[in-house]
Amino acid sequence: MRVTVQKAEDIATSALAKLGYSPKDTETISHHLIDSELRGYGIAGLARILSIADRLAGEQPRSAIEVTTQSPTSAQLDGHDTLGYLVAHKATQLAIEKAKASGVSAVGANGTYYTGMLSYYAEMAAAEDLVTVIASNCTPWVAPEGTFKPLVGTNPFCIGVPTDGVPIIYDIGTSKIIHAQAMLARRKGEQLPTDTAYDEDGEMTTDPDKALKGALKVWGGAKGSGLAIAVQLLGILAGSPALPPDLQDFGYFIMVIDPARFRPMGDFKREVGKLIEAFHSAPSISGAALRMPFERSNRRRAEVKAGGVLEVDDVVVERLEKLIQGE
């Protein structure tokens, strides 16, 4: 369904308010979700509000994020079961403040769920000329290489670097498909892509119901499994249990670095620019120019904003409108 960006924003704001979020929290969550839509990740855009509604199950959303410990360069936050879009946003803001003051910072957060796109937080820091390393673990929905038992989360990992133009942001999940994709396929009555999920007995399946009872397949074989395990460990460092319960107690870890503490910022950006230019000018096997991570996402966002129209799944819009109407 084609909807204007403004209508999508209105739907998100109204639906989140209906769920009980404050105007301030609604603005924070909505901006993240709409950014996901603008960048072409509708699976984790407006559709995520339906999953949040399922998770709340009629209860008032929580917002008591507590800083439990901190130093000039570190902090630990307990989200007390607050939505991850809010917890990670606060953790990132705190990490940015500390890195700007001290040169480097590390902040962990636990007691949360649904963190969203790690690239969103990396872009926040890149706008302040800061480098980031971010990891977020979650419920074990993913089977690592060699088993069909879910032992790790979808576990995204992200690195962000500021430039004189579009930041370089590498944000990748460590499962072949994300949990939100299986959830949306179930809502729409569609099948999953082949070779992406197991049922409870270890047989490959395209049925989202069976996949959600079984496991998603890890991305990248043994190498992807290793990265997923590394993210799981950083989640533990951030206060999460080793195997978080279903949609509970996810961990979020962010390290923020001020490049100017290592070399002059102009020098740093100049060298990063040389790398970008080397990629852009390299001969292409496919005929399409090589791009740096985040360039395509950033370009799509600009194009959609200019056009003012989004493509959103009919089912998602219809269910959100029913939610807003209290049906």
Side-chain angles (χ1 to χ4, degrees):
M1 178 185 299
R2 288 170 62 84
V3 300
T4 65
V5 174
Q6 183 60 58
K7 181 176 179 180
E9 292 173 349
D10 292 343
I11 289 172
T13 298
S14 298
L16 291 165
K18 186 70 175 182
L19 293 177
Y21 285 100
S22 69
K24 181 181 178 181
D25 287 350
T26 289
E27 182 179 4
T28 299
I29 302 165
S30 176
H31 189 272
H32 192 138
L33 296 177
I34 295 300
D35 192 59
S36 184
E37 292 283 356
L38 291 170
R39 290 169 48 195
Y41 303 118
I43 290 171
L46 291 177
R48 180 54 58 82
I49 300 175
L50 298 173
S51 295
I52 294 170
D54 289 344
R55 173 63 165 74
L56 292 173
E59 294 186 2
Q60 188 71 13
R62 300 185 183 184
S63 60
I65 305 168
E66 178 187 6
V67 178
T68 56
T69 62
Q70 68 174 316
S71 73
T73 59
S74 67
Q76 175 66 33
L77 280 63
D78 187 339
H80 292 294
D81 208 34
T82 298
L83 181 64
Y85 292 91
L86 302 173
V87 177
H89 194 272
K90 181 169 182 175
T92 301
Q93 287 180 319
L94 186 57
I96 288 172
E97 291 171 7
K98 289 180 179 293
K100 290 176 76 172
S102 301
V104 63
S105 69
V107 175
N110 68 307
T112 188
Y113 63 96
Y114 287 146
T115 305
M117 302 181 297
L118 300 190
S119 55
Y120 185 90
Y121 309 111
E123 193 173 9
M124 287 171 59
E128 301 287 342
D129 278 343
L130 299 169
V131 170
T132 46
V133 178
I134 313 174
S136 178
N137 75 327
C138 63
T139 302
W141 291 313
V142 181
E145 185 76 358
T147 184
F148 58 87
K149 181 177 175 62
L151 294 173
V152 294
T154 49
N155 290 12
F157 176 77
C158 178
I159 292 178
V161 176
T163 73
D164 280 326
V166 179
I168 299 171
I169 301 177
Y170 177 70
D171 179 8
I172 188 167
T174 51
S175 55
K176 283 201 167 184
I177 60 172
I178 63 173
H179 184 257
Q181 189 169 344
M183 293 291 289
L184 184 58
R186 182 168 69 177
R187 294 186 198 283
K188 296 171 64 180
E190 295 179 351
Q191 296 295 294
L192 299 174
T194 58
D195 195 37
T196 59
Y198 301 100
D199 65 17
E200 290 180 283
D201 298 317
E203 299 295 327
M204 300 303 300
T205 184
T206 59
D207 184 328
D209 282 312
K210 291 182 179 179
L212 290 167
K213 293 177 182 177
L216 305 179
K217 192 172 182 179
V218 76
W219 164 86
K223 291 182 179 180
S225 291
L227 183 56
I229 292 167
V231 172
Q232 201 80 4
L233 293 170
L234 289 173
I236 294 172
L237 175 66
S240 169
L243 303 170
D246 190 40
L247 285 173
Q248 293 181 55
D249 213 0
F250 294 4
Y252 174 82
F253 174 83
I254 179 168
M255 179 178 288
V256 181
I257 304 158
D258 183 357
R261 301 298 182 106
F262 296 84
R263 62 192 303 178
M265 182 62 74
D267 180 39
F268 173 76
K269 286 189 173 181
R270 185 165 50 253
E271 292 304 314
V272 172
K274 289 179 182 178
L275 180 63
I276 294 171
E277 178 56 32
F279 267 73
H280 287 173
S281 60
S284 170
I285 294 174
S286 67
L290 273 68
R291 57 181 173 80
M292 298 299 284
F294 199 67
E295 285 182 344
R296 180 174 61 183
S297 179
N298 183 74
R299 182 171 60 250
R300 178 186 172 93
R301 177 171 58 193
E303 291 171 350
V304 174
K305 277 185 175 180
V309 177
L310 287 168
E311 285 285 348
V312 184
D313 280 305
D314 293 10
V315 170
V316 172
V317 174
E318 291 165 3
R319 294 199 181 186
L320 286 173
E321 287 178 339
K322 288 183 178 179
L323 188 158
I324 292 167
Q325 293 163 10
E327 297 181 16

